[in-house]
Amino acid sequence: MAGRDDRRQTQRRDRDDGGEELDERVIDITRVAKVIKGGRRFAFRTVVVAGDNRGRVGIGVGKSRAVPDAIRKATEHARRSIKPVKLAGPTIPHEIIGEFGGARVMLKPASPGTGVIAGGGVRAVLEAAGVRDILTKSLGSANVLNVVYATLEALSQLKDSNTEATQRGKDLRSVTPFWSREKKHD
């Protein structure tokens, strides 16, 4: 199974029309069938994630009779759907669970040096977004497309630590993870 995932996750760096460099990864290539009068018509569905590794990420799905066309369509859709994500340095500001369909993905901030502890599509989305230290767990459905969308949903729900502290009426230190707090000098 590991060889199959390695084959699917190809990585490219392309320059956008505006000259910015995006990290694009093909997460999944699936053969789909449409039943017609004479039998079945086969096509390919591809899932691509594009991000700038600095807090912006998008997901695209493309379908075509040929794989290269499906990848091209998915890449264009991913570039158009790029959205900003709130990050706290190399990790995320707080724990969150994202849901999409039957898939649930838990994202948890991690201390520096932990790395991206995630599998498959979740890893690709987080790395394209620029997250370097995070703990994740996929709960529920293992459908790659739904897991990827659940990850994006979780990232879009993240809140900035400063605004969260003011909304709660608390000190900024009490809402940030312990490893990012400044130490008191006596």
Side-chain angles (χ1 to χ4, degrees), residues 160-176 181:
D160 185 41
S161 297
N162 294 329
T163 56
E164 193 63 20
T166 55
Q167 274 185 342
R168 293 184 190 179
K170 292 189 172 188
D171 183 35
L172 181 61
R173 283 178 48 86
S174 65
V175 294
T176 56
R181 297 179 189 154

Side-chain angles (χ1 to χ4, degrees), residues 88-177:
T91 188
I92 58 174
H94 55 86
E95 185 177 331
I96 189 104
I97 294 179
E99 297 182 11
F100 187 88
R104 296 176 66 214
V105 175
M106 181 191 66
L107 306 179
K108 209 174 193 179
S111 57
T114 304
V116 179
I117 310 297
V122 178
R123 173 181 289 275
V125 172
L126 293 172
E127 287 179 349
V131 179
R132 298 285 164 255
D133 300 307
I134 193 165
L135 303 169
T136 68
K137 181 66 182 165
S138 179
L139 312 162
S141 171
N143 180 308
V144 175
L145 187 58
N146 285 349
V147 167
V148 166
Y149 276 125
T151 306
L152 189 65
E153 176 65 25
L155 289 174
S156 67
Q157 291 176 16
L158 291 173
K159 299 174 186 169
D160 185 41
S161 297
N162 294 329
T163 56
E164 193 63 20
T166 55
Q167 274 185 342
R168 293 184 190 179
K170 292 189 172 188
D171 183 35
L172 181 61
R173 283 178 48 86
S174 65
V175 294
T176 56

Side-chain angles (χ1 to χ4, degrees), residues 6-47:
D6 293 341
R7 184 189 75 216
R8 286 182 177 177
Q9 268 194 355
T10 58
Q11 182 175 354
R12 294 187 334 200
R13 288 196 170 269
D14 284 336
R15 290 207 171 266
D16 199 4
D17 297 332
E20 79 178 317
E21 203 171 284
L22 293 177
D23 180 9
E24 295 172 351
R25 297 177 189 212
V26 177
I27 297 173
D28 187 35
I29 300 174
T30 308
R31 191 179 78 164
V32 294
K34 175 183 181 181
V35 179
I36 57 173
K37 188 167 80 175
R40 294 185 186 94
R41 178 166 290 160
F42 294 104
F44 295 93
R45 182 195 74 194
T46 60
V47 182

